[in-house]
Amino acid sequence: MAQVLVVDDEVKLGKLVAEALELDGHEVARVTGGRAALVELARRGFDVVLTDLRMPEVDGLEVLKAAQALPTPPSVVMMTAYGSAENAVAAMKAGAADYLTKPFAMDEVRLRVRRLAEQRAAETKSERLMRQLTPSLVAESPRMKQALASARQVAASDASVVLLGESGTGKSQLARLIHYSSKRVAGPLVEVHCAALPETLLEGELFGHEKGAFTGATERKAGHLAAADGGTLFLDEIGEVTPATQVKLLRFLQEREFVPLGSTQARKVDVRVIAATNRDLVGAVREGRFREDFYYRLNVFSIEVPPLRERKEDLVPLAHAFLSRRGLPASKLSKEAEARLTSHTWPGNVRELENALERSLILSGEGDILAEHLGAGGPSLSRGGGGKAVRAADVLGEGFNLDAFERELLYAALERAGGNKTAAAKLLGITRRRLYSRLQSLGEKVTDTESD
């Protein structure tokens, strides 16, 4: 359970409190004064400290102050004598987690400590998960710092959030950051990739179904909304959801209830919704492909996750974090390789970067990662022109990503053409309209009336 320190100059009371807490499985250390408490706090870590307020030499407020100065401060419960409510209030203002008025029942002590221990365990779990997320959420660039700041800001509320950005920018990690930074951290985080499921299957997965609701429904299924009760539902690629499913999700956002397929009974759940898309939802609303009322109900708070080409300051730190997760030093990445990373536009974003680094580790073996290791085994990171035609077989290899390669090719043509889309289409051997179509299919924000 928890590591607890009991501090009281009344030896008999301190012993009774320690024994009561040990019954619940807590590991308890007991001292008879504030000065000894300061020694214990400096010597080892505690989850909870129960300290008397009035003690000679070093009182409970000094113990509280010392506890708060620790790298990982424990929760402090102040024990005060009857009639000293003002002192208890002062202790709470100073940062105490709770207080007990003497005389108190031992069951009350056990209950208070149990609650604090459970809260501490949830916070520890959250911090551990946050540490796991941090490598993918490197933020040295101003735009990424703003995205993370916005995520932490909205996490404190229950508002619905829409994460906007290209594929591979880290929207799913940002959704997890919001959940694990929120008051729902102890609840479930249920992730649904909307584009991976056909409409009929998606409805059943989201809202659940009764036995016999449709052919093949041989048993009752609760669904993802029910599974996320008390937590967060993350709907990835929300732009792919059909209007029929949008209507049902709209009702849930309005009423906080839904009706499973094949049922007539509405079910209420407490779920926060976070959605993500690489599509232009405003354009989809304008074209009638996305319901306007659903868009405004869903888009209470939006965060744009910038593409990697617009956050060059993050490239090398991201690469170093990638190596660190594999137990490798940052020095394994040579300066020439770092320069190659920063010169590339990364159309596939963080996902492409990780694929490139994974390949480079294979190619470099025990040695350092050199610039040439980042250009072999897959799409080259070089933007060089060259007159030699490239065969399809030359770019195929482990980690190859067709969408990323196509996006890079389109941007290379636009770059070569100085942004002129007609000229870029000519370089690619396609029509201007087809260039627009390919850019839109990759989630780029373009319109057919856009001028060069």
Side-chain angles (χ1 to χ4, degrees), residues 176-230:
R176 293 168 196 150
L177 172 69
I178 293 171
H179 172 75
Y180 293 120
S181 300
S182 75
K183 62 186 178 183
R184 295 176 175 270
V185 61
L189 171 62
V190 178
E191 302 184 29
V192 182
H193 196 296
C194 300
L197 298 168
E199 179 186 0
T200 51
L201 188 56
L202 177 61
E203 281 195 37
E205 290 293 312
L206 281 176
F207 305 108
H209 59 75
E210 299 295 328
K211 182 179 180 180
F214 51 83
T215 303
T218 56
E219 58 183 20
R220 183 177 181 273
K221 183 171 183 177
H224 293 310
L225 268 172
D229 195 8

Side-chain angles (χ1 to χ4, degrees), residues 3 13 154 201 215 289 294 306 320 348 356 386 436 449:
Q3 302 286 323
L13 179 60
V154 77
L201 188 56
T215 303
R289 293 183 288 106
F294 179 50
H320 289 168
Y436 275 104
T449 56

Side-chain angles (χ1 to χ4, degrees), residues 254-387:
Q254 289 174 330
E255 309 295 338
R256 295 294 160 180
E257 65 180 28
F258 64 95
V259 179
L261 296 179
S263 174
T264 58
Q265 297 295 316
R267 176 170 181 179
K268 281 191 174 289
V269 288
D270 174 25
V271 174
R272 189 225 194 121
V273 174
I274 300 175
T277 183
N278 61 5
R279 301 293 186 187
D280 176 12
L281 291 186
V282 174
V285 169
R286 190 168 52 245
E287 295 165 8
R289 293 183 288 106
F290 203 84
R291 290 181 62 97
E292 187 174 15
D293 50 0
F294 179 50
Y295 170 75
Y296 286 115
R297 180 66 66 171
L298 182 68
N299 190 28
V300 176
F301 192 96
S302 63
I303 301 173
E304 187 165 353
V305 187
L308 200 50
R309 63 183 173 276
E310 295 178 9
R311 43 184 288 218
K312 290 295 183 78
E313 301 94 328
D314 297 334
L315 273 166
V316 173
L318 276 167
H320 289 168
F322 175 89
L323 294 173
S324 177
R325 293 199 298 273
R326 284 154 180 75
L328 298 169
S331 58
K332 185 173 176 65
L333 190 68
S334 69
K335 294 300 180 183
E336 293 79 7
E338 289 182 2
R340 173 68 69 87
L341 291 179
T342 55
S343 67
H344 185 53
T345 56
W346 300 105
N349 295 299
V350 179
R351 192 177 296 127
E352 182 191 0
L353 172 65
E354 291 181 342
N355 285 342
L357 290 169
E358 196 74 62
R359 286 196 304 273
S360 70
L361 286 177
I362 296 170
L363 294 170
S364 64
E366 297 296 320
D368 289 346
I369 296 173
L370 306 177
E372 56 262 33
H373 295 144
L374 290 166
S380 174
L381 301 195
S382 172
R383 285 283 187 178

